[in-house]
Amino acid sequence: MDGLMDREGAALGVYVHFPFCLRRCPYCDFNVAVVRQIPHVAYMEAVLRELAVRKAQFPGRRLASVYFGGGTPGLWDPEAVGTVLGAIKSEWALMADPVDIAHAQGGAPLEVTVEINPRRAPVEVLAALREAGANRLSVGCQSFDDTYLKALGRDHDAGQGLATLGAAQTAGWDRVNLDLIYGGPAHGAELFRRDLDIVAGCAVDHVSAYQLTVHAGTAFGRMWDAGRLDVADHELSAALDAQCEMALTQAGFWRYEVSNYARPGGVARHNSLYWTGAEYMGLGVGAHELCIHEGRAQRREGATTVGAYLNDPLTPASVEVLAGSQHLGERLFTALRTGFGVHLGLLRAQLGAELAEEALRRLEPLEAQGYLRRETGAIAGVPEYLAPEGLRFVPTARGLRFADDVGAAVV
């Protein structure tokens, strides 16, 4: 991509994939290793070896977020989490945006998220993870109805989900995401209303509400192929989505991405880096990353099995260099699913003037059709590196409702 600007000082997110689970959910198509014994130290050492070599691909960046995903990273020994986090923090200066500092626990601007399973997160584990340096939890509740949780194949019940949220509050966590899944087996509006009523009263600052997706190769995928899976059709899914937006908006959440809602200050920095075209480093089994290398965007996937990764954490499963037009299409597709929209200045800094002009040509017809609108001011409670002042094209309510159609028009 000719004309790409210097990345010195640009925001960077680091994703650490912890693949280990005690069981696999029937809808899950993530890189997961179901084990009885977790190699806590061996996996930590492999991640540290990978970081020590591959950090050189991101010189001069400023660290905005670290995300421990999985798998079930809440199962990882908190001391190992703390060691990996400490090593990552030692490599880059922090992106000390005033908004981040104002909403940080203990005044530390770095957002550090750990995903946890309600059944595996007693208050002692939550306290230890906080002591290790994490300051944001993502709790996989999915629902607060025991029958629906069983239909989803979850290994916890509604009481454990509520108890985990209470334990997080007791342990001092004030940044908490709660995951919901709607549209699954025998799921309907009344059940979802009860879940949303509970969520509205929870002490969480973020909700990720995902429509169930049936992936090939999963247990649900095989059930679907056999005609044995009863999930929401398109009409019901649309109704549940609208129900979710109305309930959470009334509870003080902002729908800032198609599946994500935040209370003031609660926008997820890490995921927002993906959506706004920033670079992110991937560490661990099957971790994905996007970096700018020698003037081109490069996508990388780490070794896809635990054995291969522990043996050699440096050899990727795949590396793809993106053509400029492909990168632009992906960049527009993700941004137009958010309340941040496409910031022309940010896009020009990331991709260069020529592709920014091409973006304008793709966006203006959607504006004329009522899918997008123009804004220029900063967004309250959102860091400048995600949404700086200046011209941006933001989805209207109609644009978010038809996000897939809008995305197809710009790729």
Side-chain angles (χ1 to χ4, degrees):
M1 285 175 291
D2 294 336
L4 193 78
M5 292 182 64
D6 187 1
R7 304 298 295 168
E8 183 78 22
L12 173 69
V14 176
Y15 174 78
V16 183
H17 190 72
F18 184 81
F20 304 105
C21 279
L22 301 183
R23 63 190 299 276
R24 179 186 284 273
C25 295
Y27 53 82
C28 175
D29 74 332
F30 296 146
N31 191 315
V32 166
V34 178
V35 298
R36 291 189 177 184
Q37 297 293 326
I38 295 173
H40 293 275
V41 175
Y43 194 72
M44 176 192 74
E45 291 175 344
V47 170
L48 293 175
R49 291 202 307 274
E50 184 182 11
L51 171 66
V53 174
R54 299 192 51 252
K55 64 186 181 184
Q57 293 183 268
F58 299 92
R61 308 305 191 265
R62 289 191 172 270
L63 188 63
S65 68
V66 180
Y67 194 105
F68 291 86
T72 311
L75 294 173
W76 206 358
D77 183 341
E79 289 191 10
V81 172
T83 298
V84 170
L85 177 58
I88 293 169
K89 290 170 64 176
S90 71
E91 300 298 345
W92 293 278
L94 299 185
M95 179 65 80
D97 186 277
V99 171
D100 283 338
I101 294 171
H103 291 90
Q105 287 188 2
L110 181 67
E111 177 188 85
V112 182
T113 304
V114 178
E115 294 178 347
I116 61 172
N117 182 317
R119 188 176 178 181
R120 314 291 174 186
V123 66
E124 295 82 8
V125 170
L126 298 179
L129 287 171
R130 193 159 182 261
E131 182 67 24
N135 55 24
R136 182 175 182 270
L137 289 177
S138 183
V139 187
C141 292
Q142 316 309 351
S143 175
F144 297 98
D145 182 272
D146 286 339
T147 301
Y148 185 49
L149 286 170
K150 186 175 182 180
L152 288 173
R154 298 294 294 176
D155 69 348
H156 69 271
D157 59 30
Q160 289 169 319
L162 290 169
T164 298
L165 294 174
Q169 191 171 10
T170 298
W173 296 83
D174 59 10
R175 295 212 58 205
V176 179
N177 170 65
L178 185 158
D179 281 351
L180 294 175
I181 294 178
Y182 65 89
H187 192 232
E190 179 58 26
L191 190 158
F192 200 28
R193 182 193 63 77
R194 294 196 298 268
D195 274 348
L196 293 169
D197 285 347
I198 291 172
V199 171
C202 288
V204 300
D205 68 346
H206 194 279
V207 176
S208 295
Y210 300 110
Q211 179 185 342
L212 177 71
T213 301
V214 179
H215 296 282
T218 64
F220 272 3
R222 292 186 290 273
M223 291 172 65
W224 175 265
D225 291 340
R228 296 187 292 109
L229 188 67
D230 176 24
V231 296
D233 59 18
H234 179 76
E235 183 177 348
L236 177 56
S237 294
L240 294 175
D241 177 77
Q243 179 184 10
C244 184
E245 179 177 23
M246 179 177 293
L248 292 181
T249 299
Q250 290 176 348
F253 289 88
W254 170 40
R255 188 179 194 175
Y256 74 101
E257 196 270 342
V258 169
S259 300
N260 288 273
Y261 299 79
R263 283 185 163 129
V267 164
R269 280 44 166 173
H270 189 84
N271 291 348
S272 297
L273 289 173
Y274 298 159
W275 303 324
T276 55
E279 294 173 287
Y280 51 93
M281 182 182 197
L283 299 171
V285 173
H288 292 259
E289 99 179 5
L290 179 73
C291 69
I292 307 302
H293 183 64
E294 295 181 354
R296 299 189 72 83
Q298 179 176 281
R299 186 158 48 214
R300 179 186 188 275
E301 180 184 10
T304 55
T305 68
V306 172
Y309 183 77
L310 292 178
N311 181 60
D312 177 13
L314 297 176
T315 301
S318 65
V319 176
E320 177 187 9
V321 177
L322 305 180
S325 58
Q326 179 187 5
H327 189 197
L328 174 63
E330 293 182 5
R331 174 73 176 78
L332 296 179
F333 180 88
T334 56
L336 291 178
R337 298 173 68 85
T338 75
F340 310 136
V342 176
H343 188 282
L344 265 291
L346 193 59
L347 193 70
R348 188 174 293 107
Q350 292 167 342
L351 304 184
E354 184 177 341
L355 287 178
E357 290 302 315
E358 171 61 27
L360 193 59
R361 288 191 288 271
R362 298 186 194 184
L363 295 171
E364 286 179 332
L366 291 168
E367 179 189 21
Q369 296 166 38
Y371 291 108
L372 305 177
R373 67 176 185 274
R374 298 189 185 211
E375 292 184 357
T376 56
I379 302 176
V382 176
E384 184 181 2
Y385 57 85
L386 297 176
E389 291 190 33
L391 177 62
R392 59 179 177 271
F393 287 80
V394 179
T396 60
R398 183 183 181 210
L400 276 182
R401 190 176 306 118
F402 296 101
D404 289 343
D405 295 334
V406 171
V410 296
V411 296

